[in-house]
Amino acid sequence: MKLVVLGGGESGVGTAILGKKKGYEVFVSDFGEIKNNYKEVLILNQIPWEEKQHTEDLILNADVVMKSPGIPDKSPIVKLLKKNNVPIISEIEFANQFTDVITIGITGSNGKTTTTMLTHHLLMQGGMNVGIAGNIGKSYAWQISENKFEAYVLELSSFQLDGIVNYRPHIAVMTNISPDHLDRYNYDYDLYIEAKFRITKNQTEDDYFVYDDDDEAIVNWLSKNTIRAKKIPFSLLKQHEEGAYADDKNITTNINNEEFTMPINELALEGKHNVKNAMAATTVAQLMRIRKETIRESLSNFQGVEHRLEKVLKIQNVQYINDSKATNVNATFFALDSMNTPTVWIVGGVDKGNDYAELMPLVREKVKGIVCLGVDNSKIKQAFEDVVDVMIETTSMVEAVKIAQRMAEKGDTVLLSPACASFDLFENYEDRGKQFKNAVQNL
């Protein structure tokens, strides 16, 4: 059997290692450059590879192709493979056939990394030997090849779910849905929603689907489609016989006739959206029979996620916050919503078909100045230049932070929450966040 891996990054190299271990003839092809650390791994494992090209003769004779999530369907090599009816799957789908451990799959437009890490933290603290993979950490396929965990918590993007045929999580979690990556879905929101719901398509009556019952897109889809998994909602607005809800003071979950309550002010994470993330993670922990005391303790000592509303430093009584992971409007909405002081907002990057209208009331209420950090800021200027007093454009992080410092006064917050992808000026959102933190530390 010949396995061709498109993309020589984390998921690609992990898939290649697992494929070789399982007796496939493996070839890795990357249209860009493969990072040196991954090249070393491929050489060490005697796996042939190419970079800066796709040699069609070596690719089209594959029995199966694993496409890395970053490669769009409209790329020429993918179109050619489809034309030749070569099966294309995701890393999750490929790896999953070689394991029977249970997985918890977590998706959503926002909150999925926090919910994945929090869920993993609760299960680990509860004594389970559990791995974390998907969009985060070491590749799932790579970890399956090493075979050392009894369960996995997987953060799954819509791109990873696009390539699923038989993968079935025992517990699927959907944190929310808002327009994101529409450039990859022909600017059709319904196609993106369908991709997200692939997470539950293979689930059976023995599985669980945990979802935000306040989310319009999710509720709407569920009203028109049936799923086999047992539905468990969480909500800030409605109480549920089975599921999770919150009032002003506490979160409450009712799972398997077991009630769990915890004061919101004891949660390590702040903000309404994090109350939801905590409800989702708690629901999973209860389904996995983790003790209530352990859950309570773990929710109060969780450290949070880098680049997600991360407090960097307070300088001259101005708080600098790194929310570089906010790559869409909805994520930035949560960030602005949780600001309690006048805010200087650093925004911009590669626009993915954003509609800034929903941010307007928050910008009017909270934002005193905007620093645009992108190659093309025209859409942001159009949306907000009449709403804020000061708006300045820049194309370097160091300059952006210095300008923000000049705009901010004692008691203010400087918030990097770009609402856009980072690829115009940075390698990725992590690189953008690290540059922000360095710039702040050098003020």
Side-chain angles (χ1 to χ4, degrees):
M1 288 279 279
K2 182 163 184 203
L3 165 68
V4 169
V5 173
L6 293 182
E10 183 65 35
S11 69
V13 173
T15 301
I17 286 170
L18 178 61
K20 173 139 196 211
K21 201 168 214 179
K22 297 297 177 185
Y24 284 80
E25 183 193 334
V26 183
F27 178 62
V28 176
S29 175
D30 196 315
F31 203 62
E33 273 185 60
I34 298 177
K35 286 187 177 162
N36 285 335
N37 55 328
Y38 290 132
K39 275 185 198 166
E40 283 166 24
V41 171
L42 292 169
I43 292 163
L44 196 67
N45 286 277
Q46 298 177 321
I47 294 166
W49 52 273
E50 66 174 359
E51 61 180 354
K52 299 181 193 166
Q53 63 185 11
H54 287 316
T55 308
E56 288 173 15
D57 296 352
L58 295 172
I59 294 172
L60 290 176
N61 66 355
D63 295 298
V64 63
V65 169
M66 192 299 286
K67 176 177 79 67
S68 297
I71 301 169
D73 285 345
K74 45 185 177 254
S75 75
I77 192 70
V78 177
K79 282 182 171 167
L80 205 56
L81 284 163
K82 285 187 170 165
K83 196 173 148 195
N84 285 277
N85 294 319
V86 181
I88 303 171
I89 58 174
S90 67
E91 175 213 355
I92 305 297
E93 180 68 26
F94 179 77
N96 206 60
Q97 61 191 320
F98 301 112
T99 178
D100 49 11
V101 301
I102 65 164
T103 66
I104 293 132
I106 297 175
T107 195
S109 302
N110 294 300
K112 56 180 180 289
T113 305
T114 302
T115 304
T116 301
M117 289 180 71
L118 182 55
T119 301
H120 179 251
H121 177 67
L122 295 185
L123 300 182
M124 287 278 285
Q125 298 289 311
M128 283 184 72
N129 176 26
V130 58
I132 186 168
N135 238 10
I136 187 173
K138 196 170 182 182
S139 125
Y140 182 48
W142 207 325
Q143 293 187 57
I144 296 285
S145 75
E146 294 169 349
N147 192 9
K148 49 179 195 246
F149 293 111
E150 60 177 309
Y152 286 90
V153 186
L154 301 179
E155 179 190 328
L156 300 172
S157 68
S158 55
F159 306 155
Q160 284 162 322
L161 294 169
D162 281 336
I164 276 172
V165 185
N166 298 309
Y167 168 69
R168 164 188 159 221
H170 176 48
I171 302 172
V173 178
M174 195 172 288
T175 56
N176 52 48
I177 298 184
S178 64
D180 193 6
H181 302 296
L182 294 191
D183 48 344
R184 284 273 290 261
Y185 293 96
N186 303 327
Y187 295 94
D188 182 341
Y189 189 27
D190 288 332
L191 286 178
Y192 172 67
I193 293 170
E194 285 300 329
K196 287 285 185 200
F197 272 98
R198 289 176 71 86
I199 196 167
T200 185
K201 83 177 188 112
N202 298 314
Q203 287 191 298
T204 69
E205 291 77 7
D206 299 330
D207 301 320
Y208 300 93
F209 180 71
V210 178
Y211 66 98
D212 181 350
D213 195 31
D214 305 334
D215 189 288
E216 196 182 332
I218 296 177
V219 173
N220 189 17
W221 190 93
L222 287 172
S223 71
K224 294 175 184 160
N225 298 272
T226 50
I227 65 170
R228 291 191 296 279
K230 186 171 184 189
K231 292 191 278 197
I232 302 186
F234 57 88
S235 169
L236 293 176
L237 309 169
K238 301 167 252 198
Q239 288 197 18
H240 289 286
E241 290 288 305
E242 176 145 52
Y245 60 91
D247 53 28
D248 294 342
K249 293 195 172 62
N250 300 301
I251 62 170
T252 303
T253 58
N254 274 310
I255 310 291
N256 299 328
N257 296 321
E258 288 257 325
E259 187 175 271
F260 168 85
T261 57
M262 176 157 178
I264 287 171
N265 62 12
E266 286 176 24
L267 295 174
L269 297 172
E270 296 170 25
K272 285 202 281 281
H273 57 295
N274 279 321
V275 172
K276 290 193 170 186
N277 296 338
M279 288 194 284
T282 300
T283 299
V284 174
Q286 278 193 275
L287 288 170
M288 299 298 286
R289 310 280 181 189
I290 303 297
R291 288 173 57 239
K292 291 186 207 173
E293 272 316 302
T294 308
I295 296 174
R296 188 169 284 112
E297 205 172 293
S298 306
L299 287 172
S300 64
N301 66 20
F302 179 65
Q303 288 300 313
V305 177
E306 195 183 7
H307 312 298
R308 168 61 83 215
L309 285 174
E310 176 191 8
K311 289 180 179 169
V312 182
L313 277 180
K314 217 173 210 184
I315 302 172
Q316 291 166 330
N317 210 15
V318 173
Q319 178 71 59
Y320 290 80
I321 294 180
N322 167 25
D323 194 42
S324 179
K325 202 169 189 310
T327 58
N328 58 39
V329 168
N330 195 247
T332 293
F333 181 93
F334 291 140
L336 289 171
D337 192 39
S338 62
M339 293 297 116
N340 306 320
T341 57
T343 300
V344 176
W345 176 31
I346 304 175
V347 55
V350 181
D351 187 295
K352 296 184 281 188
N354 286 350
D355 176 3
Y356 293 104
E358 66 175 292
L359 298 178
M360 201 55 81
L362 287 171
V363 173
R364 281 183 200 282
E365 183 194 344
K366 316 222 177 193
V367 175
K368 61 188 286 185
I370 289 179
V371 181
C372 299
L373 178 62
V375 173
D376 177 11
N377 304 306
S378 51
K379 217 166 143 185
I380 294 166
K381 283 181 10 196
Q382 219 175 328
F384 301 117
E385 61 190 349
D386 299 337
V387 185
V388 293
D389 297 337
V390 198
M391 182 181 274
I392 297 176
E393 289 189 80
T394 169
T395 52
S396 100
M397 184 60 84
V398 171
E399 195 187 359
V401 168
K402 282 183 175 156
I403 292 167
Q405 181 190 31
R406 284 204 291 275
M407 282 189 201
E409 298 164 288
K410 277 187 179 154
D412 291 354
T413 300
V414 171
L415 170 70
L416 168 71
S417 189
C420 296
S422 53
F423 307 120
D424 55 346
L425 298 171
F426 308 94
E427 254 182 67
N428 47 37
Y429 77 80
E430 290 99 336
D431 173 41
R432 177 168 63 190
K434 288 193 173 101
Q435 287 199 32
F436 175 74
K437 293 200 280 190
N438 287 338
V440 170
Q441 277 148 4
N442 290 323
L443 281 174

